[in-house]
Amino acid sequence: MGQQEAANINRQLPLVTDPEANRYINLLGDQIASRTSRADLDWRFYIVDSREVNAFAVPGGFIYVNRGLIERTENMTELAGVLGHEIGHVVRRHTVRQMEKAQGANIGVTLACVLTNVCNSQIAQAGINIAGTAVFARFSRGDETEADVDAVSNTTRAGISPRGVVTMFEKLIAERKQGRSAVAGFFATHPGEEERIVAVQANINRIPAATLRGLTTNTTNYNNFRSRIRSLPAPRQ
Ligand code: ZN
């Protein structure tokens, strides 16, 4: 997928345009992506201006993270874990298989549907049939397991603690148990439940304690980034 396709997608998604916030997420994303086997890709990281909790990857290295997810993070490791996971979906070409399933669907509209609650409003009102095309956005459980393994290795290689992969997951599952609809999209597109946490923790347990102790758990820059995101005008979606 070329730049042109990404530009089309971006026109249809509500994106956070704040330059400082975008600069930070691209720095963090590049720190992780540049140590993978696909350092050659022109990675781009975008913040979707939506309260819904989700993240998504598109072939070619385009990663979308919702503002609702970023606002819930406690520290840098939690966002890094999500980025490491989505980067894994790209590196392993899970995203390419998904796009093949989409078969010419309007990917921008489909992503807007998956990442925001726009499906329930404008698109539904416009009578666009999205039901068939939204299915493409769902990864298989096998893909999720692989991307979780990558989330741990990608963050660790970048010098960032993988602990956030576990704590972010715990947070989303706790919200789901409370019946919060904002996390429904995440579990719809990234299937798997508590067993994913157990598998990720087992992975982390294999990393030498001395290595783990040397990894970054948070930075002032991260806290500033999150404060900035939280201070932006409320999302419309
Ligand atoms: Zn996933």
Side-chain angles (χ1 to χ4, degrees), residues 169-191:
F169 228 122
E170 286 171 343
K171 207 169 288 181
L172 298 182
I173 285 175
E175 281 204 43
R176 187 192 208 188
K177 282 183 177 154
Q178 291 164 10
R180 302 266 181 86
S181 63
V183 298
F186 178 87
F187 288 103
T189 52
H190 298 77

Side-chain angles (χ1 to χ4, degrees), residues 34-49:
S34 66
R35 288 165 178 85
T36 68
S37 60
R38 293 312 310 270
D40 60 306
L41 291 178
D42 184 13
W43 294 89
R44 299 288 168 92
F45 301 85
Y46 300 98
I47 303 163
V48 182
D49 199 13

Side-chain angles (χ1 to χ4, degrees), residues 25-97:
I25 197 167
N26 278 279
L27 280 174
L28 180 60
D30 284 338
Q31 183 182 341
I32 301 166
S34 66
R35 288 165 178 85
T36 68
S37 60
R38 293 312 310 270
D40 60 306
L41 291 178
D42 184 13
W43 294 89
R44 299 288 168 92
F45 301 85
Y46 300 98
I47 303 163
V48 182
D49 199 13
S50 169
R51 288 185 194 90
E52 305 293 308
V53 177
N54 217 337
F56 205 75
V58 167
F62 301 92
I63 310 283
Y64 298 87
V65 182
N66 281 13
R67 179 177 170 183
L69 188 152
I70 294 167
E71 290 188 359
R72 277 168 174 80
T73 60
E74 250 157 67
N75 56 55
M76 177 206 205
T77 71
E78 296 188 337
L79 177 57
V82 170
L83 294 175
H85 176 101
E86 297 302 328
I87 287 167
H89 279 312
V90 172
V91 171
R92 290 182 187 259
R93 298 177 62 82
H94 299 156
T95 51
V96 175
R97 285 207 304 273

